[in-house]
Amino acid sequence: MTVAYVTTPLLGLVDTTVVGQFGDPALLGGLAAGAIIFDVVFASFNFLRSGTTGLVAQAFGRGESLEERAVFLRACAIAIACGLALVLLVPPVATMGEWFMGAEPGVTAAMDSYLRIRMISAPASLLNYAILGYFLGRGEANLGLLLQLVLNSVNIVLSIWFGLRLGWGVAGVAWGTVCGEIVTALLGLAIIGRRFIAMPKVVWPQVFATTALRRMLALNGDIMIRSFVLMGAFTLLTRQGAQLGTLTLAANAVLMHFFMVSSYFLDGFATAAEQLAGRAVGARYLPAFNRAIRLTSLWGFGMAGVASVIALLFGDQLIGIITTAASVREEAALYLPWAALTAISGVMAFQMDGVFIGATWSRDMRNMMLLSFAVFVAALLLLGHFFGNHGLWAALHIFLIARGLSLMAILPRSVRATFSEG
């Protein structure tokens, strides 16, 4: 899953590089603003991936194969309904996003084009969350890798073709993403459909049983709030950067790829924690749970250090590849160390998220996210006021550290409550 996840920020890197070849900071800023608004909306539905992973992993730990399929079918029903609703809500979402960002006209125009096209993929995108969650919950990382590679490969190839070869720019990048999501959803459904046909038929009353639906909705509600707050933090960070000018917004858009690459890279260990912790909770086997935490901590911190060193050593060259605008290159190089070190400050947050999702301790995770967000907002406003863009990056580090430490602090209590049952 580390290999699979690291291709996702590479997609964003390619998108930024494609748009960056036009040499217009406004296009880069519009792409960054549009992507963050889109991510805020879709991250609110990330429960379709993480919630499905946790519930399927626990059913897998209990040996309940029928419940695994029931969880997946519930997630698919929610994904299709929410995806169609999002397609209908494209105009107000785009309008609200433009109002919130309050960017310059060139940035706003590029952002609007990107948002209205990307939102077409909503049903397929949400289905892909549910499909990936099912495979990860069962520990079938090979299929998760296959789907992520297909998604990002199709996306990258078509984004380059539409964006550069056909000269569609930001719109071409958006259409490449739409095509990638649809192709991947069809492939995932075909694989799962073929598997389900050979199994005993699912009893539909069990799929939509009131107790099971209530548990899934409660879990999903907590994760939805947590994801919305998380993306709200990144949106606020982007907005504050936009207030410092288009050049700062464009430079931060380039540098955020360093953070995204490292975070998705480390998400492989978070995904392992989800599946292993969920299986251990389902089986009520504490030694396996403790071992999952120990191993993901060791590997996570080790790889975070490697990622930061690589970013510090080769960051200038990568910035030069991403954009041809000399002013953006110079501005990004100034803040490169902040971006390079986010892997180290964020690794505990990623790992603890995985543990709490797998164990379905969603309420605790939600509450600690709200606490960390409050700390982040205070740091962002205070440090941003006195130190400008340096202050914004410092606030991001504080946010990541607060998330990891707060979850670690309540971990012993959650472990005692869960493994003392039964």
Side-chain angles (χ1 to χ4, degrees), residues 171-314:
V173 165
W175 278 116
T177 304
V178 170
C179 293
E181 294 284 2
I182 293 173
V183 169
T184 305
L186 292 175
L187 175 62
L189 289 174
I191 294 172
I192 292 176
R194 183 176 180 180
R195 173 183 297 183
F196 282 10
I197 288 175
M199 296 180 177
K201 299 298 181 183
V202 175
V203 180
W204 288 105
Q206 178 180 352
V207 173
F208 297 106
T210 303
T211 303
L213 277 175
R214 188 181 297 116
R215 185 191 179 200
M216 177 174 250
L217 290 175
L219 171 66
N220 290 347
D222 289 335
I223 297 177
M224 183 176 185
I225 293 171
R226 171 259 179 195
S227 299
F228 186 79
V229 172
L230 176 61
M231 291 312 304
F234 291 122
T235 303
L236 186 57
L237 182 68
T238 303
R239 183 187 184 279
Q240 293 302 102
Q243 304 310 303
L244 296 176
T246 298
L247 181 60
T248 299
L249 176 64
N252 285 352
V254 172
L255 290 174
M256 281 301 289
H257 289 297
F258 289 84
F259 168 66
M260 296 305 294
V261 168
S262 62
S263 63
Y264 276 100
F265 182 66
L266 296 172
D267 263 347
F269 299 104
T271 300
E274 288 178 28
Q275 202 276 333
L276 295 173
R279 186 189 299 190
V281 169
R284 289 295 189 271
Y285 188 53
L286 183 58
F289 184 87
N290 290 334
R291 187 165 185 264
I293 292 178
R294 184 171 62 254
L295 290 176
T296 52
S297 296
L298 176 65
W299 282 95
F301 275 100
M303 297 310 294
V306 171
S308 291
V309 169
I310 291 174
L312 287 170
L313 292 177
F314 302 103

Side-chain angles (χ1 to χ4, degrees), residues 40-83:
V40 166
V41 175
F42 273 64
S44 302
F45 295 93
N46 190 50
F47 61 78
L48 289 167
R49 205 285 298 164
S50 52
T52 302
T53 298
L55 292 174
V56 169
Q58 291 188 20
F60 186 75
R62 295 191 300 268
E64 298 177 355
S65 62
L66 190 60
E67 179 61 17
E68 294 174 29
R69 285 180 282 156
V71 168
F72 171 71
L73 293 173
R74 291 177 203 127
C76 283
I78 296 172
I80 293 172
C82 293

